[in-house]
């Protein structure tokens, strides 16, 4: 295990930056995903520790900024019925796509797994509707997102605060790129349960009914 469990949020950024592909993601007995190092492949470059938010974001002397707060809702009643949080994200995503941009967000796929995907058309935004309440897998989108930023596309990324931090850190260490066209959108997170708990709950409901 790369880090203690209490110091890992499962953002998988360490895997994304490893130059020798020495890091794999493993599930523990509770279904949470954690990085594991293959010592035979590891060259001890330290890149995984360098990008880890739990290792590097301990500056408590940063200036506290009072944020502006707004209450927002989508004016479309049908979208609000299907979406969550007032349907604001769909409005934001639609605007980005109309400007030729791409959107990254979490979906519940056909196998009932929560994963992040890339969307380029408005008709596919419905895949993002609804809350998932399960930790999503995010490792596959890092190279895609980097390619979009490299090509100067407008990019909207939505996820947990830990995932947003990971995306920003990932692009920041590629400091030759302009990330002014990156828009991030996180939500108030109280922690995410595992996919394993979700699947076991489905089995329980199937048995009950």
């Amino acid at each position: 295990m790369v880090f203690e469990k209490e110091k890992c949020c499962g953002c998988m950024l360490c895997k994304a930056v490893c130059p020798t592909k020495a890091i794999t993601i493993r599930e523990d007995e509770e279904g949470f995903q954690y990085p594991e190092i293959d010592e035979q492949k590891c060259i001890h470059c330290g890149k995984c520790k360098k990008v880890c938010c739990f290792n590097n974001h301990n500056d408590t002397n940063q200036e506290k900024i009072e944020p502006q707060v707004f209450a927002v809702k989508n004016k479309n009643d049908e979208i609000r019925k299907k979406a969550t949080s007032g349907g604001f994200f769909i409005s934001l995503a639609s605007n980005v796509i109309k400007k030729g941009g791409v959107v990254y967000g979490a979906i519940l796929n056909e196998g009932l797994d929560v994963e992040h995907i890339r969307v380029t058309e408005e008709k596919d935004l419905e895949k993002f509707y609804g809350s998932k309440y399960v930790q999503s897998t995010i490792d596959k989108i890092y190279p895609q997102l980097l390619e979009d930023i490299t090509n100067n596309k407008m990019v909207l990324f939505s996820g947990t605060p830990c995932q947003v931090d990971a995306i920003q850190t990932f692009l920041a260490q590629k400091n030759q790129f302009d990330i002014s066209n990156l828009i991030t959108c996180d939500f108030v997170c109280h922690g995410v349960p595992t996919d394993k708990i979700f699947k076991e709950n489905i089995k329980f409901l199937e048995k009950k009914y």
Side-chain angles (χ1 to χ4, degrees), residues 84 114 130-136 187-188 191-195 197-198:
T84 51
V114 181
S131 298
K132 286 80 184 178
Y133 300 110
V134 175
Q135 185 177 24
S136 68
F187 50 85
V188 178
V192 288
T194 69
D195 178 72
I197 292 175
F198 179 54

Side-chain angles (χ1 to χ4, degrees), residues 9-16 25 33 104-106 114-118 134-145 157-168 170:
C9 64
C11 71
M12 306 182 190
L13 179 54
C14 54
K15 178 185 176 184
I25 304 299
Q33 298 180 351
Y104 290 87
V114 181
E115 62 176 350
H116 264 71
I117 65 166
R118 177 182 185 271
V134 175
Q135 185 177 24
S136 68
T137 54
I138 191 177
D139 55 320
K140 294 179 182 177
I141 70 162
Y142 282 109
Q144 290 179 314
L145 197 146
F157 174 86
S158 173
T160 66
C162 292
Q163 290 173 335
V164 167
D165 184 272
I167 291 295
Q168 292 174 336
F170 174 67

Side-chain angles (χ1 to χ4, degrees), residues 38-62:
D38 182 342
E39 294 295 341
Q40 299 298 317
K41 295 181 179 179
C42 179
I43 57 175
H44 304 285
C45 64
K47 287 186 176 181
C48 56
K49 291 185 178 180
K50 185 178 180 181
V51 299
C52 178
C53 64
F54 284 92
N55 276 344
N56 300 297
H57 294 188
N58 298 317
D59 184 2
T60 57
N61 296 317
Q62 292 184 1

Side-chain angles (χ1 to χ4, degrees), residues 5-22:
K5 287 185 176 182
E6 63 271 19
K7 294 182 180 179
C8 178
C9 64
C11 71
M12 306 182 190
L13 179 54
C14 54
K15 178 185 176 184
V17 301
C18 180
T20 61
K21 302 187 184 305

Side-chain angles (χ1 to χ4, degrees), residues 117-206:
I117 65 166
R118 177 182 185 271
V119 162
T120 58
E121 297 184 27
E122 275 195 271
K123 65 180 178 64
D124 292 326
L125 292 180
E126 288 193 5
K127 296 177 180 179
F128 296 134
Y129 283 160
S131 298
K132 286 80 184 178
Y133 300 110
V134 175
Q135 185 177 24
S136 68
T137 54
I138 191 177
D139 55 320
K140 294 179 182 177
I141 70 162
Y142 282 109
Q144 290 179 314
L145 197 146
L146 178 59
E147 184 176 349
D148 285 330
I149 291 293
T150 305
N151 293 329
N152 296 314
K153 283 186 174 290
M154 180 182 288
V155 174
L156 170 62
F157 174 86
S158 173
T160 66
C162 292
Q163 290 173 335
V164 167
D165 184 272
I167 291 295
Q168 292 174 336
T169 302
F170 174 67
L171 294 175
Q173 53 100 32
K174 308 278 187 182
N175 55 20
Q176 66 267 40
F177 301 115
D178 176 15
I179 62 171
S180 60
N181 54 347
L182 171 69
I183 304 168
T184 58
C185 179
D186 60 21
F187 50 85
V188 178
C189 178
H190 301 284
V192 288
T194 69
D195 178 72
K196 183 178 180 180
I197 292 175
F198 179 54
K199 296 288 179 61
E200 287 182 353
N201 186 55
I202 291 174
K203 289 179 181 178
F204 166 77
L205 293 174
E206 287 176 341

